[in-house]
């Protein structure tokens, strides 16, 4: 049974498009920040939008630091 399964190295199991993921995260952060402009009255929504966008930017910066130091 195992003779029909392909042999894969751990490097082959990495996600496919890291650059597209970084661009998607940046675009999503910008979209979240543009949602602040709206017809809502409370500031709780603004806080959640800013925190969400900040987490995405933090992930992008963390990925950049790891790639720069060669840890990824």
């Amino acid at each position: 049974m195992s003779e029909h399964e392909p042999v894969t190295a751990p490097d082959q199991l990495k996600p496919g498009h890291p650059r597209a993921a970084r661009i998607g995260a940046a675009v999503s952060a910008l979209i979240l920040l543009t949602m602040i402009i709206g017809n809502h009255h409370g500031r709780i929504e603004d806080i959640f939008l800013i925190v969400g966008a900040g987490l995405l930017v933090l992930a992008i910066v963390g990925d950049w630091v790891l790639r720069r130091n060669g840890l990824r």
Side-chain angles (χ1 to χ4, degrees):
M1 192 56 81
S2 64
E3 63 202 31
H4 298 293
E5 294 180 17
V7 177
T8 58
D11 291 342
Q12 293 174 335
L13 301 176
K14 290 184 178 180
H17 304 286
R19 184 169 186 230
R22 288 189 295 271
I23 292 171
V27 169
S28 297
L30 289 175
I31 290 172
L32 285 174
L33 291 176
T34 58
M35 286 184 189
I36 291 175
I37 304 167
N39 60 354
H40 54 275
H41 298 289
R43 293 293 169 201
I44 299 296
E45 297 94 349
D46 294 344
I47 292 170
F48 276 103
L49 291 172
I50 291 170
V51 168
L55 288 174
L56 285 172
V57 170
L58 185 66
I60 293 170
V61 170
D63 181 58
W64 176 75
V65 169
L66 287 175
R67 283 185 299 113
R68 186 184 65 164
N69 291 335
L71 297 175
R72 235 178 184 195

